[in-house]
Amino acid sequence: MSSEMLPAFIETSNVDKKQGINEDQEESQKPRLGEGCEPISKRQMKKLIKQKQWEEQRELRKQKRKEKRKRKKLERQCQMEPNSDGHDRKRVRRDVVHSTLRLIIDCSFDHLMVLKDIKKLHKQIQRCYAENRRALHPVQFYLTSHGGQLKKNMDENDKGWVNWKDIHIKPEHYSELIKKEDLIYLTSDSPNILKELDESKAYVI
């Protein structure tokens, strides 16, 4: 009885072995995770995401630029009005009221300044001039003792200053132009605190 069942047992064992070998071969043939591609760091992943977002928003940015150009064009058109000759000109603001207050920038110390500070002073003067021109209540703006390094820097970098309007650019010292009793020199070293402005005075910076 036992001798008849033995071949069947051996045959079954051989089948199991063959199945095990086949499964091992199939397992070895399966691609492993991560094989064939390089690992991506978090920084690279963020970069790829940003790049994708940038490309997706390209059309939106293009549309925004187009709308911005249209808006600027419309603003320029609103600032222009035809005159009697049929030509366009900038609209004159009729609500501007000039102040009698005098503001003086004293440039008499430019010989003590280095070129870097001269350039900073030039930029500050440009900004003051531009802001005063746009103001609804502009002051009487003066540059005194204009010469030396400051004038040289302005000649080299801003030749259009000779055409500036609504500004008094003088080579003389402010004491030669304004009465002494009208002068108020502004300085952080003074113990006096300025609480209000007198439009009949000339304030020196």
Side-chain angles (χ1 to χ4, degrees), residues 42-184:
K42 290 183 179 180
R43 182 178 296 179
Q44 289 174 327
M45 181 64 71
K46 288 181 180 179
K47 189 175 181 180
L48 289 173
I49 292 172
K50 286 183 179 180
Q51 185 177 356
K52 185 179 179 182
Q53 290 175 346
W54 176 267
E55 291 175 355
E56 289 175 350
Q57 296 175 358
R58 182 178 298 173
E59 289 299 323
L60 180 61
R61 292 194 303 273
K62 185 177 179 181
Q63 184 66 24
K64 285 184 178 180
R65 287 195 298 268
K66 190 174 180 181
E67 291 175 357
K68 188 177 180 180
R69 285 195 297 269
K70 285 184 179 180
R71 188 167 60 251
K72 285 187 175 181
K73 185 177 180 181
L74 184 62
E75 288 175 357
R76 286 195 299 268
Q77 290 175 349
C78 291
Q79 292 174 357
M80 306 291 287
E81 65 176 4
N83 59 14
S84 58
D85 299 329
H87 297 91
D88 288 341
R89 65 183 179 184
K90 288 186 178 180
R91 181 174 298 172
V92 179
R93 293 180 303 172
R94 303 183 186 279
D95 52 351
V96 173
V97 179
H98 291 273
S99 172
T100 57
L101 185 147
R102 289 158 289 178
L103 180 64
I104 302 169
I105 295 183
D106 176 22
C107 306
S108 61
F109 297 99
D110 79 332
H111 64 286
L112 302 175
M113 301 168 68
V114 297
L115 182 59
K116 181 180 178 181
D117 292 331
I118 289 291
K119 290 182 177 180
K120 286 182 179 180
L121 175 60
H122 180 199
K123 288 184 178 180
Q124 290 170 349
I125 291 171
Q126 285 177 315
R127 183 170 181 179
C128 290
Y129 170 74
E131 291 294 335
N132 194 52
R133 287 276 291 169
R134 287 194 291 264
L136 297 178
H137 198 46
V139 299
Q140 305 297 317
F141 192 26
Y142 285 78
L143 286 184
T144 61
S145 301
H146 183 253
Q149 293 188 85
L150 177 61
K151 184 177 183 299
K152 182 180 178 181
N153 186 74
M154 292 175 70
D155 287 337
E156 292 175 353
N157 301 295
D158 185 18
K159 295 180 180 179
W161 72 267
V162 295
N163 298 318
W164 284 1
K165 299 177 181 179
D166 300 324
I167 184 171
H168 308 280
I169 302 178
K170 304 291 184 180
E172 296 88 358
H173 192 264
Y174 62 84
S175 60
E176 301 176 41
L177 303 170
I178 310 294
K179 294 179 181 179
K180 186 177 180 180
E181 57 268 23
D182 290 342
L183 290 170
I184 298 177

Side-chain angles (χ1 to χ4, degrees), residues 12 23 27 31 113 149 190:
T12 304
E23 289 176 357
E27 187 68 26
M113 301 168 68
Q149 293 188 85
S190 174

Side-chain angles (χ1 to χ4, degrees), residues 29-41:
Q29 291 175 358
K30 289 181 180 179
R32 295 181 181 178
L33 184 63
E35 288 184 353
C37 60
E38 297 180 359
I40 299 177
S41 65

